[in-house]
Structure formats: structure tokens, C-alpha cells
Amino acid sequence: MDENSQSSIFEGEITGIRFGLATQKEICTASISDCPISHSSQLTNPFLGLPLEFGKCESCGTSEPGKCEGHFGYIDLPIPIYHPSHISELKRMLSLICLKCLKLKRNKIQIKSNGIAERLLSCCEECAQISIREVTNTDGACFLELKLPSRSRLRDGCWNFLERYGFRYGDDFTRPLLPCEVMQILKRFPLETRKKLSGKGYFPQDGYILQQLPVPPNCLSVPVVSDGDSIMSSDLSISMLKKVLKQAEVIKNSRSGAPNFDAHKDEANSLAINGRSVSSS
Ligand SMILES: [Zn+2]
Ligand SMILES: [Zn+2]
């Protein structure tokens, strides 16, 4: 840094540091290319930096090892999925909220004159009784499911209030909650709800739902070691990203029009199984 640029530095004071999940925007802006990776052959592309077998880094132009700091890429997912490492935290946070009015549930116990304790639900009666469960299906995909108490009387259209976040769907005691619906819910949290949640140690984050997956720079990948016949070592995250790209391709090719509720559920689950190890690593 030369003297001129030093003199123009403004003084500042760090008042706090907050760690959080990368947002969709951050994943894209951290990427060297505006263009998402769409084919497995691009996962070790020269624009992701050194080391390369031949040639120079196509992003910074150097061929000298140590001069290239590595460059990220990203994959666009065809459908949003739950971040597999943070789904439990998300569940705990959403459990505190009334999904209808997006205010904190205020469950109070009142002791009546006859000595019987009664639960007072101060906001939207029925919706406040909905609980959230984390469910793992037979394929191993994790998703969130809403559940009404089994002793309650099932009303027609009891899940219709969720339409504002995504879909009018469900007539049973349980109903899956789609990642795309949670995205809408998180966006609509009132300031008051955010404040109260932070008081309880919860911070609603964009990154709870993944729409993009970061692709690591070449310098962070384990190179393929082969004796000519068999592969002795290869990068686990690269092979998982390959599976994600393959599944993304299957999903795109199977679509005719915008996905409905069931397609959303199935597609998100199929991607979640394939993406599980990538995003948790
Ligand atoms: Zn480079
Ligand atoms: Zn409510």
C-alpha cells in the first residue's frame, strides 16, 4: 500500500462481529463468474484457479503457484432446499412463531378458580397449536412437516392460510412445509418478531434455504490420484457436486411448466439427498 492511499483511510471502530450463513447474494458475488456451473466438467475449470495440469488460471491470469488465491464458483439449484446442517435450528426457530401472523407464540398457563391449569393461546387460536417436526424420509432426505394436534377436530381448508407463502395444499393432520414457503416466511418476519427472536438467540437467515451451492476453488480440492487403472483418491465434495448437477439435470428435463406442490416436495428431497454431504462439509 503506498502513502497516498494510506492517508485516505477513514478511521473506524469495530463495534461487533457477527457470523452467519452465506446468503444467496454472497454466494453469487463471491463467485468469479456470473455464470453458474452447469456441467460436471466445469467443476475443476481453469477459472477456479490453480493448481492446474496445464496452462494458467483463467481468472487472475497467473501460472505461478502461490500467486493465485483461488476463485469460487456456484451451482444454481433448480429448486430451493433446506440447508441440511441447519434444519434443526430452523425448526426450533419456526416453532416459536405463529405461522399465520408471524408473531411469537405466547403460550401462557392460567390457573383457573377450580385449580385446573388452562393453556391460553393469545394469537390465532388454531394455528398456534401447529407443531413442526423434522422428518427423515426413507431415502434419507430431511424436511420439515407441520402437524396439528391429533385430538383437534380437522377442519376443511385448515392449511389454506399457508397459500400466501406458496401453495394451497393438504387436508390431513400433517402437511410438509416446503423450503420455498419457508423462504417467503423468513422474508416476511416483522421487525418486532426479529427483535424478539434475537433476544432468544435466533437470527432468521437467508442461508437456511439453499438456492445456490458454492463450488470450491481448485486449490481446495483434493486432486485425483490414480495408478492408471483405478482411482486411489478423489475429492468427496467434487463427487457430491457431480451428483447434484446430475440430479439438477434430471429435474430440469422432467419438468413441463412450473412445479406444483408435489413436484416441489419430491424435487427438493431428491436434491437434498445428493447435496447433503456437500453443504455439511
Ligand atoms: Zn487465479
Ligand atoms: Zn398468530
Side-chain angles (χ1 to χ4, degrees):
M1 202 180 284
D2 59 42
E3 275 177 27
N4 282 342
S5 64
Q6 246 172 15
S7 61
S8 62
I9 292 174
F10 296 106
E11 276 191 23
E13 197 182 323
I14 297 170
T15 53
I17 299 175
R18 202 161 99 190
F19 293 97
L21 297 168
T23 63
Q24 292 155 37
K25 203 167 157 238
E26 283 164 349
I27 291 175
C28 294
T29 47
S31 168
I32 192 71
S33 164
D34 288 336
C35 203
I37 286 172
S38 57
H39 192 267
S40 58
S41 62
Q42 299 166 328
L43 289 171
T44 48
N45 201 291
F47 72 72
L48 298 173
L50 300 178
L52 292 165
E53 227 172 305
F54 310 104
K56 54 189 185 181
C57 166
E58 282 184 11
S59 293
C60 64
T62 186
S63 52
E64 269 184 76
K67 286 272 172 72
C68 167
E69 57 179 16
H71 315 278
F72 277 87
Y74 71 96
I75 294 173
D76 253 337
L77 299 176
I79 205 128
I81 61 169
Y82 288 115
H83 193 308
S85 311
H86 297 277
I87 189 166
S88 307
E89 185 185 328
L90 175 65
K91 188 207 85 175
R92 287 195 296 276
M93 185 183 74
L94 290 177
S95 300
L96 301 172
I97 307 283
C98 163
L99 293 180
K100 192 167 188 181
C101 65
L102 301 184
K103 289 179 186 159
L104 253 70
K105 286 181 191 171
R106 282 173 294 164
N107 291 351
K108 279 183 192 152
I109 306 288
Q110 190 190 49
I111 310 290
K112 289 170 85 178
S113 53
N114 55 8
I116 295 170
E118 194 186 40
R119 222 164 157 211
L120 276 188
L121 299 164
S122 45
C123 80
C124 332
E125 268 310 313
E126 279 178 33
C127 296
Q129 295 183 49
I130 294 170
S131 57
I132 305 184
R133 305 193 290 187
E134 194 182 329
V135 183
T136 308
N137 71 8
T138 45
D139 294 325
C142 259
F143 63 98
L144 295 182
E145 186 176 78
L146 302 176
K147 187 179 180 299
L148 279 166
S150 41
R151 58 186 154 71
S152 64
R153 204 165 55 83
L154 204 61
R155 274 191 315 104
D156 271 353
C158 55
W159 300 111
N160 284 359
F161 75 96
L162 291 166
E163 192 180 10
R164 74 189 82 158
Y165 310 124
F167 293 89
R168 177 187 282 247
Y169 183 93
D171 50 12
D172 207 351
F173 281 105
T174 60
R175 179 204 189 270
L177 182 64
L178 298 176
C180 66
E181 293 174 324
V182 174
M183 264 171 78
Q184 288 304 318
I185 291 172
L186 292 174
K187 271 188 201 148
R188 294 178 196 203
F189 274 175
L191 193 63
E192 190 63 21
T193 300
R194 289 177 189 274
K195 273 190 201 159
K196 284 183 178 164
L197 281 174
S198 74
K200 291 177 182 284
Y202 290 97
F203 301 94
Q205 298 187 64
D206 198 16
Y208 282 136
I209 308 294
L210 291 168
Q211 274 200 299
Q212 278 89 15
L213 281 185
V215 173
N218 287 332
C219 58
L220 293 182
S221 304
V222 179
V224 176
V225 179
S226 167
D227 60 1
D229 292 324
S230 54
I231 292 171
M232 290 143 88
S233 88
S234 64
D235 196 284
L236 181 67
S237 66
I238 295 290
S239 56
M240 293 309 292
L241 288 170
K242 278 185 185 167
K243 286 186 191 167
V244 169
L245 282 169
K246 208 170 142 195
Q247 192 56 40
E249 198 60 32
V250 171
I251 289 172
K252 279 181 202 156
N253 291 336
S254 69
R255 275 191 192 161
S256 55
N260 62 12
F261 187 90
D262 284 319
H264 257 277
K265 191 179 73 183
D266 297 341
E267 291 177 3
N269 281 349
S270 73
L271 270 180
I273 306 159
N274 289 296
R276 199 173 34 193
S277 307
V278 189
S279 30
S280 54
S281 59

